Amino acid sequence: MFRHGLPISNRARAESVFYNFALHVHPVKVRKRSIKFTYTFGLGGLSAGLFFILTITGALLMLYYRPSVTEAYGDMKDLQFVVSSGQFLRNMHRWSAHAMVAVVFLHMLRVFYTGSYKPPKEFNWVMGVLLLVLTILLSYTGYLLPWDQLAFWGVSVGTNMARAVPFGLGDKVSYLLLGGNIVGENALVRFYVLHCFILPIVTLGLMGVHFWRVRKDGGV
Ligand code: HEM
């Protein structure tokens, strides 16, 4: 499991970074300033950590949730009043989602104000922007799943905005999102698949590219 000795020499320290999965996000040699907490505030790592918490709590919530207009609201009420720790699980998921949007945004501000988007990191900045969009879309698609008034009208407003896309594309985008012209059963199933499968997989892939670039661009 461990392919290096205790990190007591420069070589052993280099090997412990090189052979360690978690430390592998950083190159073997990094600038002293970049490991100071006050440089990154650990915001990138925290974003990844929140994504991990959301994946675990999300998988557990899927055990109690059925994406159907007749069952969804009842299942949410069961989570609230019947399933033991159901309300805690749901709140963990909801608050981690809010926190992830905020932390990813703060991470972007950190990167911007430290000028860490400048060459050779401009590609990673673009990957980051895509990750920000995915983080917001993950929150938005999760919004519909409780199937309560807030969810229904939130998605009605959002998909009506999508209808405003010009060149006749608006109706197509809205139809694609809703699986029809109304916020109904098809929309609930589509948002469920987007939220629980498609968007997390794409986000995970982009995070892999993002971490790889952090390493290849010479670390933070
Ligand atoms: C799910 C969202 C994201 C995750 C998990 C993530 C993760 C990370 C991690 C772990 C690092 C290295 C250390 C650190 O700075 O904390 C990093 C660096 C970086 N991130 Fe992100 N990030 C995300 C979103 C973003 C966004 C929204 C942007 C910009 C729009 C961005 C741009 C960058 C850049 C340019 C670097 C290199 C910074 C440097 O070398 O100082 N990332 N990211």
Side-chain angles (χ1 to χ4, degrees), residues 2 13 25 31 51-52 55 67 88 107 114 117 127 129 142 153 169 172 185 193 196:
F2 294 105
R13 270 195 286 274
V25 73
R31 291 179 205 86
F51 182 76
F52 181 70
T55 308
F88 172 74
H107 170 60
T114 54
Y117 53 87
M127 288 298 106
V129 172
W153 295 112
L169 283 175
K172 292 193 175 64
E185 183 87 32
V193 175
C196 299

Side-chain angles (χ1 to χ4, degrees), residues 146-164:
W147 200 243
D148 52 16
Q149 286 295 316
L150 192 66
F152 181 85
W153 295 112
V155 169
S156 303
V157 170
T159 45
N160 281 334
M161 281 162 60
R163 255 198 206 107

Side-chain angles (χ1 to χ4, degrees), residues 25-26 39-40 42-45 47-48 100 104 107-108 110-111 114 116-117 121 124-125 128-129 131-132 135 203 207 210-211 214 219-220:
V25 73
H26 290 291
Y39 185 74
T40 65
L43 292 166
S47 308
M100 187 173 175
V104 170
H107 170 60
M108 181 173 78
R110 187 293 284 176
V111 170
T114 54
S116 304
Y117 53 87
K121 299 174 182 177
N124 214 7
W125 172 267
V129 172
L131 280 169
L132 177 69
T135 305
T203 306
M207 273 162 74
H210 196 57
F211 295 166
V214 168
V220 173

Side-chain angles (χ1 to χ4, degrees), residues 148-214:
D148 52 16
Q149 286 295 316
L150 192 66
F152 181 85
W153 295 112
V155 169
S156 303
V157 170
T159 45
N160 281 334
M161 281 162 60
R163 255 198 206 107
V165 175
F167 314 116
L169 283 175
D171 290 333
K172 292 193 175 64
V173 173
S174 160
Y175 195 91
L176 190 70
L177 276 176
L178 296 178
N181 295 314
I182 56 155
V183 181
E185 183 87 32
N186 292 351
L188 188 57
V189 172
R190 286 181 182 217
F191 274 57
Y192 179 75
V193 175
L194 276 169
H195 184 72
C196 299
F197 183 70
I198 297 174
L199 292 174
I201 293 282
V202 176
T203 306
L204 204 59
L206 271 185
M207 273 162 74
V209 176
H210 196 57
F211 295 166
W212 172 68
R213 283 311 321 166
V214 168

